[in-house]
Amino acid sequence: MSAPNERESEKVESKPADGGDPSHGLRQRIRQQEILAELGVAALQGASFDQLLTDTVQLTAQGLDADFCKVLELLPSENQFLVRAGVGWSRGVVGVAKVGADLDSPAGYALRSGQPVISNHLEMETRFRTPELLRRHGVRRAMNVILQGDGKPYGVLEVDSRSPTDFREQDIAFLQGAANLLGMAIEREREERKLRAALARNETLLKEMNHRVKNSLSIVSSMLRLQANDAGDEQVSELLNEASHRVEAIAKAHDQLSRGSDVDSMDVGKYIEALCHDLDESVAQCDVRTEVEDGIVIATDRAVSTALIVNELIANAAKYAYESQSGIISVKVARQGAENFTVSVRDEGAGMPDDVDPRSRKGLGMRIIASFTRQLSATIEMKKHDPGAEFIVSIPLQAPC
């Protein structure tokens, strides 16, 4: 009698997957469907890619009663697979070990042929060799399906077993289902990576834009100061210098935006502190001191309006409270309850006459203060001190609906 062929040999030597117990096979198929549902839910709920890899290899091995499972990521430049995730393998395999991606390995054969591969007798295989990694772990059987992602293969999902129990065609359906779910996650991860890269580019461009706007406004401010020096008229010179300070206040906002990662909001305390530092240098006769509470984050446009109010109040204090004399101007930024914050500007100068309300003045500075106060839905209060005066602006953290 002639020797049995390979397929007949498998029938003789292999044991059925259910071990002769039909109820075991049924229970296994039900568990496989539960596992696919579990993996699908995890993918839909946005589990991290690494977590999905780990869950997939663990649950796939469980669903096939296999000793080992691994995700092999294709490294095209090396023509190899990297063991990207795995279960059952000895230490130093996952994330390190590599397997050939040519036709000589089960995974490479599956990838190159484009078809799932079952080998229930690796020692008798003629289609490919048994990789050293599988030999070292005593693997007798292997099953591989292709992992697709973003229109091209990501690699291979492979289960391996020491057991004499056969892998069957039904097992391929389960393994392919797990691979399809993981493939969706791979595609999502790649798209998210592209989006993150695009977002990073946009953030870089926005920072660069804000930096350039800041530089441009600083040039305008410098030109105004130069014109003020050459005006030959004290009143015109004063107006040009005030305009320069206003432009510089807006430039400072763009400077803050170019340093941060959020263009829609900013820490108003840090912004005003930086602005006051610049004003301290330009208001030579006054010492501008700040005391700000960190973490008061508001919309950028509201922060700019707030800073322009502070700019005008400091200019008024230097102009009217001290005139040509030296003195201290104190600026404070603090929370006021859960929905508001306050900005106060205080001087220790001549103070205000009892019969004069500076808010009723019609000068440009006070008109600017009044305009931005209304825009912010804020309130402004003046307190008289001995010596000096203080203006307190109470501002909602968010614009009223």
Side-chain angles (χ1 to χ4, degrees):
M1 180 181 293
S2 61
N5 62 28
E6 182 178 322
R7 189 173 298 277
E8 290 172 338
S9 176
E10 287 185 4
K11 289 180 180 178
V12 172
E13 297 181 12
S14 301
K15 296 182 180 179
D18 56 17
D21 180 5
S23 64
H24 172 79
L26 179 60
R27 288 195 302 272
Q28 187 181 39
R29 302 298 169 221
I30 292 173
R31 178 57 185 146
Q32 288 176 356
Q33 294 305 310
E34 291 173 345
I35 286 171
L36 291 178
E38 189 174 338
L39 289 173
V41 169
L44 289 172
Q45 288 180 338
S48 70
F49 182 57
D50 286 342
Q51 186 61 52
L52 279 172
L53 288 175
T54 300
D55 291 346
T56 298
V57 294
Q58 290 178 345
L59 291 173
T60 300
Q62 181 187 125
L64 291 168
D65 292 330
D67 304 289
F68 309 97
C69 183
K70 59 182 180 289
V71 170
L72 294 169
E73 180 181 359
L74 179 63
L75 306 176
S77 62
E78 302 179 24
N79 196 30
Q80 288 188 308
F81 291 110
L82 170 69
V83 180
R84 181 75 164 76
V87 63
W89 306 100
S90 58
R91 182 175 298 180
V93 170
V94 175
V96 177
K98 295 179 180 179
V99 176
D102 51 23
L103 287 169
D104 288 340
S105 71
Y109 189 89
L111 182 70
R112 304 306 173 187
S113 68
Q115 299 294 326
V117 172
I118 295 180
S119 178
N120 283 317
H121 289 278
L122 285 173
E123 72 278 6
M124 299 173 62
E125 270 294 349
T126 59
R127 295 172 295 176
F128 41 75
R129 59 177 168 73
T130 302
E132 177 58 31
L133 175 64
L134 302 189
R135 292 180 187 276
R136 196 165 66 243
H137 286 80
V139 171
R140 300 175 63 184
R141 313 187 189 285
M143 183 165 54
N144 296 262
V145 295
I146 298 173
L147 268 175
Q148 294 288 345
D150 196 22
K152 57 185 177 182
Y154 173 86
V156 169
L157 177 62
E158 178 177 313
V159 287
D160 305 292
S161 177
R162 298 189 183 109
S163 152
T165 303
D166 278 1
F167 290 127
R168 294 189 169 187
E169 292 298 326
Q170 299 98 312
D171 295 326
I172 280 285
F174 165 68
L175 188 61
Q176 189 65 67
N180 291 344
L181 289 170
L182 187 54
M184 291 168 54
I186 290 168
E187 186 171 351
R188 186 194 71 192
E189 194 272 342
R190 284 177 172 169
E191 289 301 319
E192 287 178 351
R193 193 186 310 159
K194 291 177 184 177
L195 288 173
R196 285 194 296 269
L199 180 60
R201 287 195 298 271
N202 287 339
E203 287 179 350
T204 300
L205 289 173
L206 281 171
K207 286 184 178 182
E208 179 63 20
M209 181 191 70
N210 279 308
H211 182 69
R212 293 188 180 190
V213 170
K214 176 256 182 184
N215 287 343
S216 297
L217 290 173
S218 295
I219 290 171
V220 172
S221 177
S222 298
M223 291 174 65
L224 287 170
R225 286 197 298 271
L226 287 172
Q227 285 188 307
N229 293 335
D230 295 339
D233 183 299
E234 186 175 345
Q235 185 175 6
V236 172
S237 178
E238 183 179 323
L239 290 173
L240 288 172
N241 274 319
E242 289 176 357
S244 171
H245 292 157
R246 290 165 189 142
V247 172
E248 196 61 41
I250 299 173
K252 182 58 67 175
H254 287 279
D255 182 47
Q256 294 290 307
L257 290 173
S258 70
R259 297 171 187 271
S261 59
D262 188 356
V263 297
D264 296 321
S265 60
M266 65 168 64
D267 188 318
V268 68
K270 291 182 178 178
Y271 173 26
I272 289 177
E273 187 174 41
L275 174 68
C276 290
H277 180 268
D278 290 349
L279 288 172
D280 187 38
E281 296 177 358
S282 60
V283 186
Q285 81 276 19
C286 294
D287 180 11
V288 182
R289 301 177 181 178
T290 57
E291 182 182 332
V292 304
E293 183 176 337
D294 290 339
I296 304 176
V297 178
I298 63 174
T300 298
D301 58 342
R302 294 177 67 77
V304 172
S305 298
T306 302
L308 287 169
I309 291 174
V310 172
N311 179 78
E312 297 303 324
L313 289 173
I314 291 175
N316 283 350
K319 183 176 181 180
Y320 298 111
Y322 295 113
E323 296 182 352
S324 60
Q325 300 177 1
S326 62
I328 296 172
I329 299 175
S330 300
V331 179
K332 293 184 179 180
V333 181
R335 293 184 183 274
Q336 184 185 47
E339 299 180 352
N340 298 277
F341 71 100
T342 61
V343 177
S344 69
V345 178
R346 178 180 175 179
D347 64 74
E348 298 176 3
M352 302 297 299
D354 292 337
D355 57 345
V356 174
D357 185 350
R359 292 168 294 187
S360 65
R361 290 184 174 181
K362 302 302 181 183
L364 179 59
M366 287 309 300
R367 293 206 307 273
I368 290 174
I369 292 171
S371 174
F372 283 120
T373 299
R374 287 193 299 272
Q375 181 179 313
L376 292 167
S377 300
T379 60
I380 185 166
E381 174 189 4
M382 187 196 76
K383 287 186 177 181
K384 295 178 181 178
H385 295 279
D386 186 16
E390 180 181 16
F391 286 85
I392 304 172
V393 188
S394 179
I395 307 169
L397 290 166
Q398 298 181 348
C401 298

